[in-house]
Amino acid sequence: MKNIILDCDPGHDDALAMMLAIASDKIKLLAVTTSAGNQTPEKTLNNAMRMLTLMKREDIPVAGGNRTPLVKPLETAGNVHGKSGLDGADLPDPDFEVQDMTAIELIAKTLRETDGKVTLVVTGPMTNAALFLRVYPELAHEKIDQIVFMGGAMGLGNWTPSVEFNIYVDPEAAKIVLNSGIPTVMAPLNVTHQAQIKKAEIEAVKSIKNPVGQAFYGLLGFFEIYHEDPKWGFFGAPLHDPCTIAWLIDPEMFETEQMNVDVETEGELVRGETVCDYYDLTGKPKNTEVLLEIDRDKFIKLIMDSLETF
Ligand code: RIB
Ligand code: CA
């Protein structure tokens, strides 16, 4: 069983990633920390608490983290995730207390209390991960075996022409994480745009007669709307964040390449771009395993089977 901490900005796809982790017998979700990104820090924290209440996992500790990125002002994505950050379903109010500590304090506490290594999964801007690395460098290198994150792209962008949202929000944080020396695994847009759920598959979620399935029917229905814009050329809605957890559960579902990945933090047009050295042109350390292809049918089956377990 793999011990993980999930740092997220729920966000519809973050919530789906959390669900996969909780449903899997291969993963133990030790703690959840939240970042400002898809919505304000207050809303992403409340959304994480609401999802854990819905899934009856109030035993999992939650703490809120960064209120702004390291350098830039916060930009959120209400146009994608709605006013609440999880529009589309009637979710329960949290029925447990948030931890009386910051996200990086909860990460430190969790690492200290856990035997062996822990995987840090990041599905939002990487501000909390960067802050943790700066405040607790020894603990990070001793106890974190890898950082698995959704973010970035090779030659693609979804927020500006060559920049993906999570890295766009906090490029400096992403640069710190990718240059930390801790092995990283990256789920870029190149793979998450393959991980689309079709409208008919969303409809099939409606037949999953448990409260979690019913909630995700509404959440996925809302999330799909933004992606109907013909400019994307999508056949469904890309499920970005769950690719991180799906890789941890079944890496055979993906094809990957090891390469150097770094982040541009300057430049009017490309600030936040992930620069992926696919052809090893720089000779820089191959710090990142990049997910490039996914077996979409297997991925969707994992989501459906996971929803049935609640
Ligand atoms: O670009 C997609 C990423 O940005 C996902 O993590 C989504 O939840 C948003 O945070
Ligand atoms: Ca996210």
Side-chain angles (χ1 to χ4, degrees):
M1 183 165 282
K2 188 168 281 296
N3 286 326
I4 76 164
I5 294 169
L6 175 62
D7 183 69
C8 54
D9 63 336
H12 292 71
D13 52 333
D14 303 75
L16 208 57
M18 186 192 288
M19 183 281 295
L20 285 185
I22 286 172
S24 175
D25 58 9
K26 294 184 180 176
I27 290 183
K28 184 172 183 188
L29 180 55
L30 300 172
V32 172
T33 53
T34 57
S35 59
N38 280 325
Q39 261 299 351
T40 62
E42 296 77 12
K43 289 181 179 180
T44 58
L45 175 59
N46 189 52
N47 288 339
M49 301 286 285
R50 294 200 292 167
M51 288 311 298
L52 289 170
T53 300
L54 172 73
M55 291 186 274
K56 301 194 185 320
R57 289 305 308 273
E58 298 92 335
D59 58 299
I60 296 173
V62 183
N66 70 292
R67 309 190 63 71
T68 66
L70 296 183
V71 175
K72 293 176 52 167
L74 176 61
E75 284 190 46
T76 56
N79 56 323
V80 183
H81 299 274
K83 195 162 175 290
S84 72
L86 274 182
D87 284 17
D90 182 14
L91 299 173
D93 288 333
D95 64 2
F96 66 115
E97 295 302 315
V98 68
Q99 296 291 304
D100 182 18
M101 61 184 79
T102 64
I104 63 170
E105 288 169 328
L106 179 55
I107 294 171
K109 178 175 184 289
T110 305
L111 294 180
R112 288 183 177 126
E113 291 175 352
T114 304
D115 290 338
K117 297 271 189 175
V118 176
T119 293
L120 177 60
V121 180
V122 185
T123 61
M126 294 207 242
T127 316
N128 291 331
L131 287 168
F132 184 76
L133 288 164
R134 283 287 189 266
V135 176
Y136 302 93
E138 297 81 9
L139 187 57
H141 284 83
E142 181 201 337
K143 295 290 287 182
I144 296 175
D145 61 351
Q146 58 187 349
I147 298 174
V148 184
F149 70 96
M150 190 278 141
M154 286 173 24
L156 276 178
N158 64 358
W159 214 252
T160 71
S162 65
V163 183
E164 178 278 328
F165 177 77
N166 285 339
I167 316 298
Y168 174 86
V169 170
D170 200 336
E172 285 75 15
K175 193 172 189 74
I176 288 169
V177 171
L178 281 159
N179 289 284
S180 68
I182 294 175
T184 41
V185 178
M186 174 183 180
L189 295 178
N190 309 73
V191 78
T192 67
H193 282 182
Q194 299 172 44
Q196 295 182 40
I197 187 166
K198 300 172 185 172
K199 265 191 162 177
E201 290 162 339
I202 294 174
E203 270 313 299
V205 173
K206 193 175 183 181
S207 64
I208 300 176
K209 297 296 184 197
N210 65 51
V212 177
Q214 294 304 297
F216 273 104
Y217 171 61
L219 291 170
L220 288 166
F222 178 88
F223 185 61
E224 193 271 339
I225 295 166
Y226 171 81
H227 299 95
E228 284 178 352
D229 188 324
K231 74 180 178 187
W232 300 115
F234 289 155
F235 55 82
L239 301 180
H240 307 284
D241 297 335
C243 289
T244 58
I245 305 297
W247 181 80
L248 287 169
I249 292 170
D250 180 6
E252 302 302 310
M253 198 185 292
F254 297 87
E255 286 178 35
T256 71
E257 285 289 342
Q258 197 74 30
M259 65 185 82
N260 179 268
V261 178
D262 202 343
V263 182
E264 180 53 62
T265 56
E266 308 296 332
E268 177 199 348
L269 301 177
V270 293
R271 174 177 160 79
E273 181 174 337
T274 48
V275 181
C276 304
D277 189 0
Y278 184 81
Y279 293 113
D280 192 14
L281 298 174
T282 66
K284 286 162 67 176
K286 296 187 176 182
N287 57 353
T288 306
E289 182 167 2
V290 179
L291 312 187
L292 292 173
E293 303 290 336
I294 187 172
D295 179 332
R296 191 203 74 89
D297 293 345
K298 217 171 172 186
F299 175 71
I300 297 299
K301 184 178 185 308
L302 172 66
I303 289 171
M304 298 301 193
D305 292 350
S306 300
L307 286 171
E308 292 283 4
T309 66
F310 290 89

